[in-house]
């Protein structure tokens, strides 16, 4: 009976588990991208899922190759992805709000509306993309003449 542990096999199994977990997170994020109801929730799902999925895949690669140079590259890619993906999602989300991309009707926007009111940005929220803005009423001619 063999008493030695095959460390190469253990390393391959652990790396496969991390890589498969990363692929599963990316798959779930892709399904969320197709199934979620509005732009903001989709963007959140794909950003979180892809960042976590990429991190797990990179961790699996670092374990599999087990070399300091590869590990340094894996850590650098992971750090830069963890920094840039949320910032990019935040900027895209703010741009979407400024361009009046509608929110899902079941989204609770109470805190967001308080923030917009405090910052005087109420005109940036559009709850219904099919709702026409009411045309501004013009003053009747006799009222306009009375003010002059």
């Amino acid at each position: 009976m063999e008493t030695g542990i095959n460390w190469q096999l253990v390393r391959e199994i652990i790396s496969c588990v991390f890589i498969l977990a990363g692929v599963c997170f990316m798959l779930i994020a892709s399904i969320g991208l197709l199934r979620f109801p509005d732009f903001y929730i989709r963007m959140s799902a794909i950003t979180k899922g892809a960042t976590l999925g990429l991190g797990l895949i990179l961790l699996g690669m670092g374990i599999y190759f087990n070399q300091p140079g590869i590990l340094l590259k894996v850590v650098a890619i992971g750090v830069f992805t963890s920094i840039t993906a949320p910032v990019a999602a935040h900027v895209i989300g703010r741009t979407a709000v400024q361009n009046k991309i509608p929110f899902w009707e079941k989204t609770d926007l109470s805190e967001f509306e308080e923030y917009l009111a405090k910052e005087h940005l109420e005109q940036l929220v559009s709850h219904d993309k099919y709702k026409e803005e009411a045309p501004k009423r013009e003053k009747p001619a006799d009222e306009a003449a009375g003010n002059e």
Side-chain angles (χ1 to χ4, degrees), residues 5-15 63-64 66:
I5 296 174
N6 186 353
W7 291 107
Q8 176 70 25
L9 180 63
V10 171
R11 193 170 68 222
E12 287 178 4
I13 291 172
I14 292 172
S15 67
I63 291 171
Y64 179 77
N66 197 22

Side-chain angles (χ1 to χ4, degrees), residues 19-141:
I19 291 171
L20 287 174
V23 169
C24 287
F25 273 105
M26 286 191 166
L27 177 66
I28 291 169
S30 299
I31 293 169
L33 182 64
L34 297 173
R35 300 283 301 170
F36 284 145
D38 75 343
F39 172 77
Y40 303 98
I41 300 172
R42 288 180 193 143
M43 186 179 57
S44 175
I46 198 68
T47 302
K48 292 175 186 174
T51 302
L52 185 58
L54 179 66
L56 289 171
I57 291 172
L58 289 171
L59 183 61
M61 288 176 50
I63 291 171
Y64 179 77
F65 288 110
N66 197 22
Q67 295 175 358
I70 299 291
L71 186 61
L72 181 64
K73 291 175 187 175
V74 163
V75 168
I77 293 170
V79 166
F80 288 128
T81 303
S82 297
I83 291 171
T84 57
V87 171
H90 177 76
V91 170
I92 292 169
R94 285 182 65 98
T95 303
V97 169
Q98 291 172 353
N99 288 327
K100 300 181 181 178
I101 303 295
F103 289 90
W104 184 37
E105 64 271 357
K106 294 182 181 178
T107 303
D108 181 21
L109 295 173
S110 58
E111 290 181 19
F112 183 62
E113 288 171 346
E114 289 173 12
Y115 165 77
L116 291 177
K118 184 177 84 174
E119 297 293 325
H120 306 292
L121 301 171
E122 304 89 10
Q123 70 274 10
L124 296 179
V125 177
S126 173
H127 294 284
D128 187 3
K129 64 182 174 183
Y130 301 110
K131 182 179 177 183
E132 295 288 328
E133 289 187 21
K136 293 183 179 179
R137 281 187 46 215
E138 294 184 20
K139 292 182 181 180

